[in-house]
Amino acid sequence: MTTKRGFTTTLLHADRLGKPEHGSLHKPIHTSVTYGHEDVQDLVDIFQNKKKGYAYSRQGNPTVTALEYKVTQMEKGLSSIAFSTGMAAISATIMALIKHTDHIVASSFLFGNSRSIFQTYIDLGLDITFVDATDVENVRAEIKENTKLVFVETIANPATQIADLEGIGTLCSEKGILYVVDNTMTSPYLFNPIDVKAGLVINSLTKYIGGHGNALGGSVTDTGLFNWSIYPNISPVFKAQVKPETLGLTQIRKRGLRDAGGTLSPEAAHSISVGSETLALRLERACNNAFALATYFESHPKIKKVFYPGLENHPQHERAGKLFAKFGGLMSIELDDSIDCLAFLNKLQLVVKSSNLGDTRTLAIPVAQTIFFELGAERRAEMGIPESMIRLSVGIEDLDDLVEDFKAALEG
């Protein structure tokens, strides 16, 4: 009987229990691009999905496989595929599973680059409808006969809206629609989308899972809840080769990873894998820091508004408390009209002016002038993004030092 172990224990010992080479505690970095086989039939069987193995590293590598196993364990899923970035994971999923006659419903609050790639797909002819996903009825109203996929995030970046994750999951389950949830902002430590009936889970491994700002990566995890045998877009060649429950990820790996080439390097996979071992410890600290900072900002006269699910005045505070283990490390603040947000940021000495998220260090960025600049003022307003908004990814520094840095910038 397999012993059920805790989140961090499982991650710490995942590689070792897989018995890697020479008794290593971590899966070694395998840099080989190609793999030789004594019997050519083994190579043929790998190509035809009749057995597991490696042929060419664009679609599979032992070091990457070890990371994929860890992600699967974190997400309580069936299997995972790792990619070079989170955006590669999203792009590959849509490219592999959606046809030009299909319809997608997506949250109108998507992260800027996610929104951008969806717009690119619209320009290529896909039918995509953006809705306020904080209410399942908005999603229900846009469902069509040809709707194949609903795509949402757990906590929106940067204004922290929280989708009606449970309601949308139930709707998709009733309609037989693939439900895809981007779990990046919560990470599998705070939330598992399988609990709201998601079929696929996206993670940007660059963020909290890797956690140290030293490696790019992304992943797609199949929770095992979606019935791929009735999904019309699965290629007959894969139906003839693999078990029904693996059809979705097989097509994503072949059509999305192999063909599009968003391959995660073994070096990056190793860095992310090691970083993931401290995910729980880092997020506990970051979430506690974020909650304390949000409380400080909420009472400060020079802060017009604080966007953080942990505050009771957040529109989805109750939902966040029910679904998530903690409220996350992402927040945004809207400065008083008298403060120039760029000048304010330049006064910060400890906080890093940077575009990343989920780092050990606290990062800040002016939203309208950078990551959402291309959308224009009108669309930013639709997404609830004021022009003086500053997004913060709160890190694991000592809280007193963070408060002092913001206090000096606000009052100096």
Side-chain angles (χ1 to χ4, degrees), residues 29 63 67 209-212 214-215 266-276:
I29 300 174
T63 311
L67 173 61
I209 291 176
H212 293 79
N214 61 354
E267 294 87 354
H270 180 77
S271 292
I272 293 167
S273 183
V274 174
S276 72

Side-chain angles (χ1 to χ4, degrees), residues 90-407:
I90 294 171
S91 301
T93 299
I94 302 301
M95 189 184 83
L97 298 178
I98 299 299
K99 295 185 177 181
H100 75 282
T101 54
D102 296 334
H103 174 243
I104 296 172
V105 178
S107 170
S108 59
F109 306 123
L110 291 182
F111 163 61
N113 285 136
S114 298
R115 178 81 180 224
S116 179
I117 190 60
F118 274 67
Q119 184 59 52
T120 297
Y121 282 127
I122 290 173
D123 294 342
L124 291 171
L126 281 187
D127 183 10
I128 302 177
T129 303
F130 295 101
V131 302
D132 178 348
T134 61
D135 187 341
V136 65
E137 295 308 316
N138 296 329
V139 177
R140 188 189 306 275
E142 299 299 336
I143 297 294
K144 304 178 183 180
E145 288 286 332
N146 62 332
T147 302
K148 294 293 191 300
L149 185 149
V150 173
F151 187 99
V152 302
E153 298 165 336
T154 51
I155 301 176
N157 164 21
T160 71
Q161 299 95 335
I162 298 170
D164 187 353
L165 295 163
E166 285 186 304
I168 297 171
T170 299
L171 173 65
C172 289
S173 181
E174 292 171 353
K175 300 283 188 180
I177 296 170
L178 178 59
Y179 184 29
V180 182
V181 176
D182 188 325
N183 197 28
T184 299
M185 289 299 97
T186 30
S187 89
Y189 177 64
L190 299 184
F191 177 64
N192 290 126
I194 190 175
D195 294 334
V196 294
K197 304 179 181 179
L200 295 178
V201 181
I202 305 285
N203 277 288
S204 171
L205 303 176
T206 313
K207 310 302 192 295
Y208 290 105
I209 291 176
H212 293 79
N214 61 354
L216 293 167
S219 64
V220 179
T221 301
D222 190 329
T223 65
L225 297 182
F226 187 72
N227 185 1
W228 294 105
S229 63
I230 63 171
Y231 192 67
N233 294 353
I234 298 295
S235 170
V237 69
F238 300 139
K239 287 184 177 181
Q241 292 178 348
V242 301
K243 297 177 181 179
E245 61 267 24
T246 65
L247 285 169
L249 281 195
T250 296
Q251 185 149 308
I252 293 172
R253 187 178 291 278
K254 298 294 186 179
R255 300 283 176 83
L257 176 61
R258 180 196 65 189
D259 293 356
T263 305
L264 180 65
S265 74
E267 294 87 354
H270 180 77
S271 292
I272 293 167
S273 183
V274 174
S276 72
E277 295 175 354
T278 58
L279 172 59
L281 290 84
R282 288 183 283 103
L283 261 178
E284 286 286 338
R285 176 74 168 239
C287 290
N288 291 342
N289 279 351
F291 184 83
L293 280 175
T295 303
Y296 167 74
F297 290 140
E298 189 178 33
S299 62
H300 200 287
K302 293 186 179 180
I303 304 294
K304 185 184 294 187
K305 185 175 181 179
V306 183
F307 302 79
Y308 186 65
L311 298 178
E312 292 185 3
N313 62 5
H314 189 283
Q316 292 89 43
H317 171 72
E318 185 175 346
R319 178 180 295 166
K322 177 184 177 183
L323 292 174
F324 309 146
K326 285 183 175 289
F327 296 106
L330 173 76
M331 78 169 69
S332 292
I333 56 176
E334 181 181 0
L335 298 172
D336 184 80
D337 293 338
S338 64
I339 301 175
D340 180 281
C341 68
L342 301 187
F344 164 76
L345 285 168
N346 282 335
K347 292 179 181 178
L348 293 169
Q349 299 298 309
L350 182 66
V351 176
V352 184
K353 279 74 78 175
S354 171
S355 62
N356 191 24
L357 293 167
D359 201 310
T360 50
R361 292 156 283 270
T362 298
L363 314 175
I365 191 168
V367 177
Q369 297 85 353
T370 57
I371 52 178
F372 281 85
F373 176 75
E374 292 181 12
L375 291 182
E378 183 177 348
R379 188 162 291 175
R380 287 196 295 270
E382 291 174 3
M383 297 178 69
I385 300 172
E387 297 300 295
S388 63
M389 174 182 277
I390 292 173
R391 187 193 71 190
L392 304 173
S393 172
V394 181
I396 64 172
E397 296 94 341
D398 294 298
L399 177 60
D400 289 346
D401 294 329
L402 287 174
V403 172
E404 183 59 35
D405 198 36
F406 282 110
K407 181 179 179 180

